[in-house]
């Protein structure tokens, strides 16, 4: 509802940043903006996700050279991180702003913007000439209502108590909650969903085990992690939710390191990144145990899995996932947690 109000106030805007660390919130915002622009007569143009060696000049040419058959185009740029050639991006946006007639629309999806990021020239340029949308993490006490509202959007009749149980079990992982709701909507399309239905469904859901696998790895529980891994592989589970769940947590850890520079963590540090208190111990264990090199190498493996699923390369995705687990469970000489979480 807040985003709908923002879009109404910025109805003429054709330039957007969606800043969020959560794929579900980011995708919701992206789809809502697309809906508004498509209603204005825009047609989908190019959606790109820059990788190493990305050709910015070629992207700008496609952005600034609309199709003869569709003079009003909507382009999407998905940034996995903010460590990019900002001068090039700023210049591309500046050139885009020179259009007077049939200017292309541009939506940039990016990680959550910290105060220091607000001073980046390309961010300021969009903030001054377009619409910046920060998707703040859903707070713990707000998640049951978020689950309930999302269930309503899916035509799923779920009790408030069941929504609260699902929110608690998902521990602020909106991707897990969204996947669970989609499964519940298929399993209970014509029946009311109560807390017992939620518990039974999640207990038998291999998809939900994806998030249990990630937690087992982050908590250094190797036997449990590989047991879940082999069960998922044996069940021929979808691998996309698994590698996305890993990407979400590794990217979160990198962002935390970028702010703390390896110093001790406080509860406020973690809460700033949307980590619930009951989940903070898991993140702290990973923060203390995983090196920066491990995190970056893990991201590379995930990118290889993503490319293989898109038909690029011949990587065996399950072998790559096993490699990711082995990499993450290397202790590097750290056999215990040396820093404790401070709530001071």
């Amino acid at each position: 509802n807040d985003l709908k109000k923002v879009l109404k106030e910025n109805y003429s805007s054709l330039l957007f940043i969606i800043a969020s660390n959560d794929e579900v919130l980011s995708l919701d915002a992206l789809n809502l903006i697309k809906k508004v622009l498509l209603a204005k007569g825009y047609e989908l143009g190019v959606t790109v996700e820059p990788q190493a060696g990305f050709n910015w000049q070629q992207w700008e040419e496609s952005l600034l050279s609309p199709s003869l058959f569709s003079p009003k185009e909507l382009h999407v740029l998905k940034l996995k991180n903010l460590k990019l050639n900002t001068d090039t991006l700023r210049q591309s946006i500046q050139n885009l702003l020179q259009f007077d007639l049939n200017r292309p629309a541009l939506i940039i999806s990016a990680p959550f913007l910290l105060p220091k990021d607000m001073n980046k020239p390309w961010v300021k340029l969009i903030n001054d000439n377009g619409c910046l949308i920060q998707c703040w993490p859903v707070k713990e006490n707000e998640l049951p209502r978020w689950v309930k509202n999302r269930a309503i959007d899916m035509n799923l009749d779920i009790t408030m108590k069941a929504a609260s149980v699902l929110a608690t079990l998902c521990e602020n992982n909106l991707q897990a909650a969204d996947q669970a709701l989609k499964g519940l909507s298929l399993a209970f399309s014509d029946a009311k969903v109560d807390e017992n239905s939620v518990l039974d469904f999640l207990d038998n859901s291999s998809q939900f085990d994806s998030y249990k696998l990630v937690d087992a790895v982050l908590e250094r529980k190797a036997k449990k992690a590989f047991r879940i891994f082999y069960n998922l592989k044996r069940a021929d589970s979808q691998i996309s939710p698994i590698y996305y769940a890993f990407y979400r947590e590794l990217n979160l850890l990198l962002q935390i390191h970028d702010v703390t520079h390896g110093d001790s963590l406080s509860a406020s540090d973690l809460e700033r990144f949307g980590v619930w208190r009951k989940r903070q111990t898991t993140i702290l264990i990973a923060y203390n145990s995983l090196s920066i090199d491990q995190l970056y190498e893990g991201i590379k493996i995930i990118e290889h899995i993503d490319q293989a699923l898109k038909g690029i390369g011949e990587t065996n995705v399950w072998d790559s996932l096993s490699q990711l687990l082995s990499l993450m469970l290397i202790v590097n000489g750290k056999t215990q947690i040396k820093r404790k979480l401070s709530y001071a």
Side-chain angles (χ1 to χ4, degrees), residues 220 284-286 288-289 334-340:
R220 326 298 293 155
L284 179 66
I285 292 172
N288 282 296
S289 303
K334 296 182 180 180
T335 57
Q336 59 182 358
I337 305 305
K338 295 182 180 178
R339 291 190 291 262
K340 293 183 178 180

Side-chain angles (χ1 to χ4, degrees), residues 119-244:
N119 293 321
K120 293 181 184 293
W122 68 273
V123 174
K124 292 179 69 174
L125 192 58
I126 295 180
N127 201 19
D128 292 340
N129 297 277
C131 182
L132 191 158
I133 301 162
Q134 283 268 51
C135 299
W136 292 86
V138 177
K139 295 179 180 178
E140 184 173 357
N141 63 338
E142 296 173 347
L143 188 54
R145 177 54 58 185
W146 183 91
V147 170
K148 176 71 174 178
N149 290 339
R150 199 166 189 81
I152 292 173
D153 291 340
M154 296 181 182
N155 296 316
L156 178 65
D157 188 5
I158 186 172
T159 67
M160 196 63 219
K161 189 171 182 179
S164 296
V165 169
L166 181 56
T168 299
L169 292 173
C170 290
E171 297 183 340
N172 208 28
N173 188 326
L174 301 191
Q175 182 79 4
D178 183 61
Q179 293 291 338
L181 285 172
K182 288 175 180 176
L184 286 165
S185 67
L186 294 174
F188 299 92
S189 57
D190 299 318
K192 181 180 284 291
V193 177
D194 61 17
E195 62 272 23
N196 292 322
S197 302
V198 169
L199 290 170
D200 289 342
F201 177 80
L202 294 183
D203 190 50
N204 295 302
S205 174
S206 62
Q207 194 168 48
F208 198 71
D209 280 342
S210 303
Y211 307 102
K212 295 179 183 177
L213 172 61
V214 175
D215 283 353
V217 171
L218 296 181
E219 293 172 3
R220 326 298 293 155
K221 297 176 181 178
K223 290 183 179 180
K224 180 179 179 181
F226 276 101
R227 183 173 66 251
I228 297 173
F229 167 79
Y230 286 119
N231 286 337
L232 289 168
K233 183 178 180 181
R234 191 180 300 114
D236 196 24
S237 303
Q238 287 190 351
I239 203 165
S240 297
I242 303 174
Y243 83 79
Y244 174 72

